[in-house]
Amino acid sequence: MLIIEDSITEKREVRVAETEQAQASQQVQHTNGLEVVETREWLDSLDYVLSKGGAERAGRLLQQLALHARRAGGVNLPFTATTPYQNTISSSQQPPFPGSQEMERRIKSLVRWNALAMVVRANKIQEGIGGHISTFASAATLYEVAFNHFFQAATESGDRDIVYFQGHAAPGIYARAYLEGRIPKQKLQNFRRELNPGGGLSSYPHPWLMPDFWEFPTVSMGLGPIQAIYHARFIRYLENRGLKTSTGGRVWAFLGDGEMDEPESLGSITLASRERLDNLIFVVNCNLQRLDGPVRGNGKIIQELEAIFRGAGWNVIKCIWGGDWDSLIQNDRDGLLVRRMGEITDGQYQKYFVESGAYFRQNFFGTDPRLLKMVEHLSDEQLARMRLGGHDPIKVHAAYKAAVEHAGAPTIILAKTIKGYGLGEAGEGKNITHQQKKLNEDELQVFRSRFGIPIPDDELHEAPFYRPADDSAEIKYMQERRKQLGGHMPVRKNRATPLKSVPESHFEEFYKGTEGREASTTMVFVRMLSKLLRDPEIGKLIVPIIPDEARTFGMEALFRQVGIYSSVGQLYEPVDMDTLLYYKEAKNGQILEEGITEAGSMCSFISAGTAYSNHGINTIPFFIYYSMFGFQRIGDLIWAAADMRCRGFLVGGTAGRTTLAGEGLQHQDGHSHVLALPVPNLMTYDPAFAYEIAIIIQDGIKRMYVDGESIFYYLTVTNEPLPMPEMPSQSGIREGILKGLYRYRNSEKNDAKLHAQIFGSGTIMYEVLKAQEILEKNYGVAADVWSVTSYNELYRDANDCVRWNMLHPKETPKVPYVTQALQGAPGPFIAASDYMKVLPESIAQWVPGKLLSLGTDGFGRSENRASLRDFFEVDAKHIVLATLTALAREKQVEPDVLEKSIRDLGINPEKLNPAIS
Ligand SMILES: Cc1ncc(C[n+]2csc(CCOP(=O)(O)OP(=O)(O)O)c2C)c(N)n1
Ligand SMILES: [Mg+2]
């Protein structure tokens, strides 16, 4: 075996199959003649050490041998990232199975049947409604062993396991819940028909739609694995900070092998090993197929993933061969079989899944008479039924047990299975299996008989659900197992008690403004955050999250104030130790300084923002990042956060296309508010002043953590230092800020004939105020200025009214807030923002007059703010021109005046159009 291992692991690349083939032929040459005898002697000696001293002793000896060989003879064993194509846990190491295999097989068959029936029925009733059969069919054993023996819904310490179910396996999870009596048959019948009377079941895990059941939306592939990693780390963060006292729960993520190609799946795996997250277990269902065909037809996905994860420091457990292979492997003294296993590509393995035993014998074993001899006692039928590791409960149990017992590193289990297992001709192992949703009667019959479901032939055409009575042995067994493990899963609920109130006093300072001193809204935000962090009640619940931009946002004071979280504390003397604001890492540090990963930071945000549900802890995340790298980069994670009813504040820093000077096209964000609009439960704000931010954050904490609303926030803050004004004293201002618009400053020109209303947001508000002055002084226009804190909120409210009015034609129509607020305001309306024109335009139809919008459509430029605002036509002079233009459209201003104003304002009418240049 030793020689075989050395030979097989001599790989310099991850192109596993090719390399193994080459090495295998080398091996054959070397094992000729004298070498055979010599090798045999060494192997016998090693066997002796193994039997006397055990695996650990043998391992040490091999290491010593390797060291000796290098020193004495310059033998350099090449780096090896993979082990042979074998189970990591040998049959002699595997523990006894703790349950009734026969009973569990029967239960699993029932789950299989109902999962299949759910999809087949749904498509019979509604052609084309879709659903997946083959994913769960291949993963059934992986789930059932976990449900019966591992998934802890509650541990003795009060903790629980967190499980990320593979999205496409949802029918299997529903089927089990049906057998457990948790989902009525009617809902099963309405799988993928959520709007049918009585309600149905979501296609995939969606907490928004099934808030008592699903916890994690995993169906956008790649989001499950990265979230699982950060969740496992967040649990450690909670423990190390003393917020979570119960321990011992694990995070399980069930993943597809095709899914592992998503960059998010692999991108953060070193965090898990670096943080020694032995509370994390990945289970990859290696059915060798994805949607269109094989994952690695010409390679071996298991070997490739092994190399990647071993290289990253994970504990890798391969579960490839089922018990049927045990005796063959044990008798494979010369390693011929394992070598052959290593030679075959996944595409070819897939071929064996669909071919006869005779083909398997001839093609796989037939290359060597010695191999053929190994299986001569097996019939073709038996050969065809040789089970794979992922379908063998004993092997799967052994892998899970080893995973939960492993200390010091996360574990990945690579379980080999067949896609569409049990479907036979209907799709088992075939390339089309992922799309298979319909089975004809014959195919249903085969499946029914294979899994022994007591449904008579004449009822099969309906694909009826089947649930034995509550007191049947099967149902009693499965319920008892779940009872032992603390209850059913998945169950989603709110596990936290709401906060009592939001501390008002921290916000008051911001109502007063800065008395002429300049401050950016980012500085205001950071000051507010630092005050909240000091609060005796909620301070400890705040989770500041930053992807390596703390200095950009002027947050370094927080390093010292609350520390940067590190699971090991600070093992070095920081280079800036002698300064006040040194880089302080601490085990109980509060800041999650994530490094340059917006995706990872977002996962921390989600973990913290859903801890009220997952862990009963009201952590309040504030994730501040370059606004440009938010929605357009990690929009799908934000969508998932929304689905999960995540709470907290996303803060887009350095926001605005013309406010971030110098940085240019890739950094200047003039559209994140547009990209935020689709997220239904996201409150978005583009505040201009300190007091606006104070009111928004205060109200946000109240709505999310006191009132328990399933909303979260996006607010943009900017880095332009400006004097922050005092909050005007008129009534209704708080409501206006939160609803999205309020009158900020009336024109003082009482005798004016010309009137206009100008909307400003963010830092462009200051350009609007300058324009107000110019209009008054130079053009005799009295313009009132409105602060629009949220076009999105105004848009939503107005749409809601329109819809209601349409459905209630006889009742007094509702008037949108924006229309009410602006009613009677004289003159045309002009909007200027640092975002695309479409944002103000979205409310145009509800503005009681004509609206002319200025915005920043187009690619940014490296420039200073003044030039950028000139270029994008959102500075004071363009606002003046727009106002005059709007008045001219209403025939209140002569065209000549317009032309003159263009000259006087110094605007070049032939300048490039920023939207397309
Ligand atoms: C981000 C994303 N891209 C594409 C899809 C569509 N899709 C659904 S399942 C699937 C194949 C999944 O293959 P694999 O991960 O191997 O899972 P299996 O069903 O084989 O267990 C694809 C491409 C998706 N759900 N998410
Ligand atoms: Mg797959």
Side-chain angles (χ1 to χ4, degrees):
M1 183 67 87
L2 174 68
I3 295 284
I4 296 296
E5 282 206 11
D6 278 350
S7 164
I8 284 187
T9 51
E10 255 179 35
K11 291 180 221 44
R12 289 170 198 277
E13 308 175 21
V14 190
R15 295 175 61 188
V16 181
E18 270 178 32
T19 334
E20 279 179 7
Q21 233 162 344
Q23 285 151 4
S25 55
Q26 235 179 19
Q27 157 72 16
V28 173
Q29 285 167 18
H30 291 172
T31 46
N32 283 337
L34 246 187
E35 268 197 36
V36 175
V37 181
E38 194 180 57
T39 305
R40 170 65 39 224
E41 280 174 11
W42 277 80
L43 291 180
D44 287 345
S45 306
L46 187 73
D47 281 352
Y48 177 79
V49 176
L50 263 171
S51 66
K52 294 285 168 201
E56 261 186 49
R57 166 70 194 116
R60 283 199 302 277
L61 179 64
L62 288 174
Q63 276 175 352
Q64 278 165 354
L65 271 177
L67 206 64
H68 185 84
R70 179 173 305 175
R71 282 200 193 125
V75 179
N76 267 326
L77 292 179
F79 167 74
T80 133
T82 51
T83 62
Y85 200 60
Q86 270 192 323
N87 291 348
T88 307
I89 301 166
S90 67
S91 56
S92 61
Q93 293 167 317
Q94 87 206 359
F97 192 76
S100 159
Q101 265 182 270
E102 174 50 21
M103 186 56 75
E104 292 187 23
R105 190 191 60 77
R106 276 165 35 204
I107 295 165
K108 184 167 63 189
S109 297
L110 294 173
V111 181
R112 281 183 187 287
W113 172 262
N114 288 303
L116 172 118
M118 197 181 316
V119 179
V120 172
R121 278 178 72 105
N123 285 278
K124 268 187 202 293
I125 297 165
Q126 177 72 63
E127 170 87 25
I129 202 75
H132 297 85
I133 297 174
S134 58
T135 299
F136 180 74
S138 66
T141 302
L142 299 177
Y143 283 114
E144 279 302 302
V145 172
F147 272 118
N148 285 323
H149 302 282
F150 291 93
F151 289 163
Q152 296 268 1
T155 62
E156 274 175 23
S157 77
D159 210 1
R160 69 186 196 107
D161 283 359
I162 300 289
V163 183
Y164 289 78
F165 294 98
Q166 192 187 356
H168 299 83
I173 313 304
Y174 291 139
R176 178 167 243 274
Y178 164 64
L179 292 169
E180 289 167 346
R182 301 201 292 140
I183 294 183
K185 194 193 269 186
Q186 192 209 2
K187 288 223 171 191
L188 243 56
Q189 251 148 6
N190 282 340
F191 173 58
R192 290 189 165 229
R193 299 296 306 277
E194 293 180 277
L195 304 177
N196 245 12
L201 298 175
S202 310
S203 49
Y204 304 116
H206 292 303
W208 184 263
L209 301 169
M210 294 178 63
D212 303 327
F213 194 83
W214 292 119
E215 296 177 291
F216 308 106
T218 45
V219 78
S220 175
M221 287 185 295
L223 302 193
I226 189 170
Q227 283 187 68
I229 292 173
Y230 279 87
H231 196 156
R233 203 275 301 256
F234 187 72
I235 289 171
R236 289 282 156 80
Y237 168 90
L238 290 173
E239 289 167 358
N240 279 324
R241 289 198 46 226
L243 289 172
K244 183 173 188 294
T245 43
S246 56
T247 57
R250 294 186 179 81
V251 177
W252 299 76
F254 283 72
L255 313 167
D257 48 357
E259 177 174 18
M260 300 312 284
D261 280 341
E262 289 287 357
E264 289 91 344
S265 304
L266 297 176
S268 295
I269 62 172
T270 52
L271 173 84
S273 41
R274 199 160 62 241
E275 293 286 315
R276 303 164 69 84
L277 298 178
D278 50 16
N279 58 343
L280 175 66
I281 300 167
F282 273 13
V283 180
V284 185
N285 177 16
C286 297
N287 53 27
L288 315 186
Q289 284 180 248
R290 42 182 167 70
L291 192 152
D292 285 340
V295 178
R296 293 288 182 274
N298 294 317
K300 282 216 272 299
I301 188 64
I302 291 181
Q303 297 300 86
E304 184 175 325
L305 290 174
E306 176 186 40
I308 294 167
F309 280 85
R310 259 166 69 101
W314 284 53
N315 173 40
V316 179
I317 300 175
K318 293 197 289 193
C319 179
I320 302 177
W321 308 108
D324 298 336
W325 292 85
D326 281 349
S327 62
L328 293 184
I329 291 167
Q330 273 156 14
N331 295 331
D332 181 32
R333 286 289 298 160
D334 297 325
L336 290 170
L337 178 60
V338 68
R339 195 182 79 214
R340 183 72 183 134
M341 287 166 163
E343 282 169 4
I344 306 294
T345 62
D346 281 357
Q348 192 60 31
Y349 274 119
Q350 193 192 340
K351 175 88 171 148
Y352 297 144
F353 301 159
V354 301
E355 280 292 347
S356 66
Y359 176 89
F360 186 28
R361 185 189 305 276
Q362 194 192 357
N363 192 283
F364 182 86
F365 297 95
T367 51
D368 187 322
R370 291 170 295 177
L371 282 173
L372 276 175
K373 193 156 177 46
M374 287 171 100
V375 290
E376 67 184 2
H377 62 292
L378 297 170
S379 68
D380 287 350
E381 171 82 347
Q382 283 170 315
L383 265 188
R385 286 176 160 267
M386 299 274 281
R387 248 192 317 185
L388 296 177
H391 294 304
D392 184 337
I394 296 180
K395 302 287 179 195
V396 172
H397 172 267
Y400 288 174
K401 188 160 187 294
V404 297
E405 286 171 0
H406 189 79
T411 293
I412 181 167
I413 293 166
L414 302 168
K416 185 163 171 167
T417 63
I418 299 176
K419 191 144 177 171
Y421 187 68
L423 290 180
E425 282 303 306
E428 186 171 276
K430 294 184 178 168
N431 279 340
I432 49 93
T433 190
H434 190 86
Q435 303 293 76
Q436 182 60 288
K437 338 235 166 256
K438 294 181 196 166
L439 263 64
N440 62 32
E441 235 162 282
D442 289 347
E443 290 163 343
L444 281 172
Q445 205 169 10
V446 170
F447 192 89
R448 186 270 329 256
S449 303
R450 174 160 180 183
F451 294 106
I453 310 297
I455 295 175
D457 284 355
D458 59 351
E459 286 176 27
L460 270 178
H461 63 280
E462 277 183 358
F465 297 118
Y466 178 74
R467 183 178 187 270
D470 280 343
D471 61 356
S472 64
E474 291 86 351
I475 300 293
K476 273 163 66 184
Y477 183 99
M478 76 191 293
Q479 299 286 35
E480 179 57 25
R481 288 311 309 148
R482 286 317 309 163
K483 201 168 144 205
Q484 293 297 324
L485 290 160
H488 293 129
M489 285 171 89
V491 173
R492 184 190 178 279
K493 55 184 166 193
N494 186 350
R495 294 175 167 85
T497 39
L499 295 181
K500 285 196 199 71
S501 61
V502 188
E504 172 89 12
S505 58
H506 303 313
F507 298 97
E508 279 162 1
E509 139 187 10
F510 302 97
Y511 302 163
K512 298 196 184 89
T514 50
E515 293 169 348
R517 275 175 290 114
E518 290 187 337
S520 67
T521 48
T522 306
M523 284 163 71
V524 168
F525 164 74
V526 172
R527 184 165 169 79
M528 214 174 291
L529 186 64
S530 121
K531 288 190 102 175
L532 286 172
L533 282 161
R534 286 200 189 92
D535 184 85
E537 291 297 319
I538 69 163
K540 60 182 183 301
L541 298 173
I542 306 278
V543 183
I545 303 165
I546 313 153
D548 198 36
E549 297 287 355
R551 293 181 201 280
T552 312
F553 303 130
M555 295 173 80
E556 46 289 41
L558 296 185
F559 290 169
R560 182 71 189 277
Q561 184 187 330
V562 292
I564 294 163
Y565 172 72
S566 156
S567 57
V568 293
Q570 193 152 40
L571 305 176
Y572 60 96
E573 192 182 329
V575 64
D576 49 3
M577 185 76 170
D578 53 348
T579 64
L580 200 60
L581 307 177
Y582 78 94
Y583 197 85
K584 181 183 161 196
E585 297 195 62
K587 211 167 166 176
N588 63 354
Q590 197 160 349
I591 300 171
L592 284 172
E593 160 66 82
E594 297 292 14
I596 310 165
T597 164
E598 283 74 16
S601 304
M602 187 63 206
C603 291
S604 285
F605 178 84
I606 293 173
S607 301
T610 54
Y612 72 94
S613 164
N614 293 323
H615 305 286
I617 304 164
N618 282 313
T619 34
I620 309 172
F622 285 86
F623 168 26
I624 181 161
Y625 55 92
Y626 252 110
S627 71
M628 192 69 163
F629 306 133
F631 285 86
Q632 70 177 28
R633 183 158 188 138
I634 51 160
D636 204 16
L637 277 166
I638 296 175
W639 187 254
D643 189 348
M644 257 180 274
R645 297 163 181 266
C646 178
R647 297 171 181 168
F649 296 90
L650 297 170
V651 184
T654 54
R657 187 96 70 204
T658 67
T659 303
L660 177 60
E663 291 288 81
L665 184 154
Q666 190 77 68
H667 284 72
Q668 290 160 342
D669 162 38
H671 49 275
S672 65
H673 279 287
V674 179
L675 301 180
L677 182 59
V679 186
N681 51 347
L682 182 67
M683 311 290 296
T684 60
Y685 289 98
D686 181 20
F689 306 129
Y691 65 82
E692 293 178 352
I693 299 178
I695 284 176
I696 293 162
I697 291 186
Q698 191 185 359
D699 187 64
I701 298 178
K702 178 180 170 292
R703 287 182 65 178
M704 292 186 287
Y705 292 92
V706 179
D707 305 341
E709 285 190 55
S710 290
I711 53 173
F712 63 134
Y713 282 72
Y714 175 57
L715 61 130
T716 36
V717 292
T718 68
N719 66 349
E720 184 172 4
L722 291 162
M724 293 286 131
E726 190 176 358
M727 179 157 73
S729 56
Q730 80 252 28
S731 66
I733 193 161
R734 186 180 282 261
E735 188 199 11
I737 292 170
L738 298 172
K739 287 193 157 179
L741 166 140
Y742 65 96
R743 190 192 292 268
Y744 173 67
R745 185 185 287 168
N746 275 347
S747 166
E748 283 164 9
K749 191 172 174 56
N750 297 325
D751 56 347
K753 288 205 194 72
L754 298 171
H755 291 273
Q757 309 296 321
I758 316 183
F759 304 160
S761 321
T763 49
I764 296 301
M765 175 55 106
Y766 291 79
E767 297 295 328
V768 168
L769 291 169
K770 275 187 239 163
Q772 183 188 37
E773 261 183 65
I774 302 171
L775 282 163
E776 268 181 27
K777 274 199 203 132
N778 301 357
Y779 298 94
V781 180
D784 297 338
V785 171
W786 299 75
S787 175
V788 181
T789 49
S790 177
Y791 284 104
N792 291 350
E793 280 308 294
L794 296 175
Y795 170 81
R796 280 181 185 158
D797 165 74
N799 261 312
D800 191 42
C801 294
V802 169
R803 177 187 168 275
W804 192 89
N805 294 343
M806 189 166 75
L807 297 171
H808 304 87
K810 286 196 158 171
E811 302 197 35
T812 320
K814 288 187 178 181
V815 183
Y817 169 76
V818 59
T819 316
Q820 282 178 46
L822 298 172
Q823 208 63 58
F829 296 85
I830 295 91
S833 96
D834 222 0
Y835 290 85
M836 296 175 70
K837 291 176 190 173
V838 71
L839 205 60
E841 285 300 319
S842 68
I843 60 158
Q845 60 171 304
W846 299 291
V847 172
K850 278 239 153 55
L851 177 72
L852 201 163
S853 302
L854 299 179
T856 57
D857 300 43
F859 286 125
R861 294 288 194 282
S862 303
E863 256 303 347
N864 62 27
R865 291 189 184 106
S867 301
L868 285 167
R869 287 173 187 165
D870 173 49
F871 178 69
F872 281 102
E873 300 158 13
V874 289
D875 56 3
K877 62 179 184 292
H878 284 94
I879 298 168
V880 169
L881 176 60
T883 309
L884 296 174
T885 306
L887 286 162
R889 282 183 190 167
E890 296 186 357
K891 309 261 184 278
Q892 299 191 52
V893 164
E894 294 301 319
D896 290 353
V897 177
L898 278 188
E899 220 171 282
K900 183 170 181 312
S901 70
I902 290 177
R903 275 200 307 278
D904 294 349
L905 292 163
I907 294 171
N908 169 13
E910 304 313 323
K911 73 189 273 291
L912 288 174
N913 179 356
I916 52 163
S917 54

